[in-house]
Amino acid sequence: MSLPVIGGSPPEEDEAPAAGGLEAISARIQELKREHEIFVIAHNYQYPEVQAIADARGDALEVSFAAARATQPNILFCGVDFMAETAKLINPGKRVMIPDDRAFCPLAAMSDVEGLRLLKERYPEAAVVAYMNSSAAVKAEADICCAAANAVTVCRSLDAREIIFAPDQNLGQYIQRHLPDKEIVIWPGYCHVHQNQSVDELVAIRSNHPDAEIIVHVECPPDVIDLADHAFSTGGMMRHVRESPKREFIIATERDMVYALKRDNPEKLFYTAARAVCPTHKRITLRKVLRAMETMEPEVQVDPVVAKRARASVERMLQVKARD
Ligand code: CIZ
C-alpha cells in the first residue's frame, strides 16, 4: 500500500510503540476492518495516513450521510467527539468507537444547554438551529441541525423569521448576510483554526502566488470571507477545486485538508497558513486506530433520552437534501 507523503502523526506519550512502521500498521488495520466488520469514517482534518485507511471521508454532512449508509455492525470514527456522537445518533444499534475519547471539538464545547434554554426564553418565537459542531445535548434542544455545507439552505427552509444559531458566530454572520430577511440570533462561539485566519496573512501568501484563488472555510471571520474568492465547507472545497480550471489555491482551513485536496488533484498546488492545525483532531493517530480495532474500545455512548431528541434534529437536517 502506498502511504501519503505529507503530514505524519507522532506517537503520543500514552501510546505504546507499535511494531513495524506506518505501512505495517495500515496493513493490520485493513485486516482488522474485515475480521471485525468495522466501517471506518474520517473527517478531512485527520492526519493523512488516517484518511488513507478510511472507507469514507468528508465534511460533517458527508460523514453523517456515510454513517447513515454503513452496513457493518461497527463504525470507527476518526474525527472529533461530536462527529462520533452523531454517527451513534444515526446508528443507535451499532457499536460506534472513536480512537481517542479525548478528541473533543473546542467549538462544540463552547455551547451548553443552559445558555441555549435562556436564549429560547428570550426569543420564544425563534426556531433553533444547532450547528453539527455541538454536543448531543445541545442538538436535542434544537429544532434542526445544519452543517457548514448546508447552513444557509437549512435556515432558509424554516418558516420562522427569527433563528437562534449556535455555536459558531462567524457562520452565524455568514447565514445572516445570505438571509437578510431573517434575524439570526448568534451564539458567540468560534473555531480557533478559522478565527485565527487573517486577511494580512492571506494577502501575504497571495503576494507570492498571484494566480492562486483564495478559498476559505465558512467558519472564517467576515473580513476573511470578504477577501476570499469563495467560501465553502471542506466538502465544498473538494468539489470546487476538482471542477476549477485554476491550478493554484490558497486554502484557509485546517492544514490536512490539503492532503485530501492533493490526493484528488495531484497536478494542482495548494498553500495554507502555517499555524492552521486543530490539535484535538490530531489526537487520532494511526496507532490509536489500530488499538481501537484490537480492543473495540473506546465505545461512544449517548444517553438514550437525549439521543432520541438529538437524532430527530439530525434527521430533519438529512432530509434537507440540497446544499448551499
Ligand atoms: O468539514 C467542514 O467543512 C467542517 C469543519 C464543518 C462541517 O460542518 O462540515
Side-chain angles (χ1 to χ4, degrees):
M1 170 191 295
S2 72
L3 281 167
V5 290
I6 56 171
S9 52
E12 287 192 10
E13 283 163 17
D14 62 341
E15 283 185 306
L22 292 186
E23 296 232 6
I25 301 174
S26 298
R28 182 67 189 133
I29 284 172
Q30 297 300 347
E31 287 169 4
L32 285 172
K33 274 207 272 191
R34 285 187 294 274
E35 277 171 33
H36 293 179
E37 295 183 83
I38 305 173
F39 187 65
V40 181
I41 307 178
H43 186 264
N44 287 326
Y45 294 163
Q46 289 290 295
Y47 277 123
E49 62 274 21
V50 174
Q51 293 190 41
I53 55 87
D55 301 304
R57 294 171 283 261
D59 62 22
L61 188 61
E62 291 163 335
V63 294
S64 301
F65 278 120
R69 278 196 314 270
T71 52
Q72 290 83 340
N74 305 296
I75 294 176
L76 183 73
F77 205 103
C78 301
V80 283
D81 53 1
F82 76 86
M83 299 178 178
E85 225 177 43
T86 305
K88 180 68 184 175
L89 295 177
I90 296 172
N91 294 283
K94 294 191 190 218
R95 186 178 189 87
V96 176
M97 299 164 284
I98 182 165
D100 186 330
D101 54 12
R102 299 165 308 164
F104 73 101
C105 168
L107 167 59
M110 285 179 196
S111 61
D112 60 80
V113 170
E114 292 75 14
L116 199 48
R117 285 190 181 151
L118 280 176
L119 275 182
K120 285 165 78 168
E121 272 171 34
R122 195 175 305 159
Y123 299 92
E125 303 299 321
V128 180
V129 179
Y131 191 33
M132 290 297 275
N133 299 46
S134 60
S135 65
V138 165
K139 289 183 176 78
E141 289 293 316
D143 296 303
I144 188 166
C145 290
C146 78
N150 63 6
V152 174
T153 304
V154 164
C155 291
R156 187 185 289 117
S157 76
L158 301 172
D159 291 335
R161 205 188 72 78
E162 282 180 335
I163 296 175
I164 298 170
F165 180 77
D168 189 275
Q169 62 187 11
N170 294 328
L171 184 53
Q173 291 184 64
Y174 179 82
I175 297 167
Q176 181 68 84
R177 290 163 112 191
H178 283 78
L179 300 177
D181 294 343
K182 305 245 184 223
E183 189 190 334
I184 312 293
V185 179
I186 298 172
W187 185 285
Y190 58 89
C191 159
H192 64 89
V193 169
H194 295 118
Q195 187 68 25
N196 281 337
Q197 300 290 333
S198 82
V199 166
D200 288 352
E201 189 168 8
L202 293 176
V203 167
I205 299 174
R206 185 143 69 179
S207 69
N208 290 325
H209 306 285
D211 293 333
E213 249 189 358
I214 298 183
I215 300 182
V216 307
H217 196 273
V218 286
E219 291 174 12
C220 288
D223 60 341
V224 170
I225 291 184
D226 285 345
L227 172 79
D229 296 300
H230 302 281
F232 295 117
S233 72
T234 60
M237 291 180 185
M238 293 294 286
R239 266 181 293 281
H240 175 81
V241 168
R242 199 180 298 135
E243 287 158 17
S244 170
K246 288 269 189 181
R247 193 168 161 269
E248 293 182 74
F249 302 88
I250 298 164
I251 304 293
T253 191
E254 214 275 348
R255 179 193 70 183
D256 281 322
M257 180 62 204
V258 166
Y259 162 68
L261 289 165
K262 196 82 191 151
R263 185 187 59 221
D264 273 21
N265 307 276
E267 73 297 353
K268 298 191 175 180
L269 298 172
F270 302 96
Y271 314 103
T272 57
R275 65 168 180 274
V277 176
C278 174
T280 50
H281 263 282
K282 267 49 193 180
R283 281 194 176 277
I284 309 296
T285 65
L286 205 59
R287 295 167 192 80
K288 288 182 191 169
V289 171
L290 176 60
R291 191 167 61 193
M293 287 190 170
E294 287 167 344
T295 61
M296 298 296 278
E297 296 282 353
E299 188 181 358
V300 176
Q301 304 280 6
V302 186
D303 174 89
V305 178
V306 170
K308 190 166 177 236
R309 292 172 57 214
R311 185 179 313 124
S313 301
V314 173
E315 281 173 352
R316 272 181 221 119
M317 172 190 79
L318 295 180
Q319 281 156 17
V320 178
K321 294 272 183 272
R323 290 165 185 275
D324 292 351

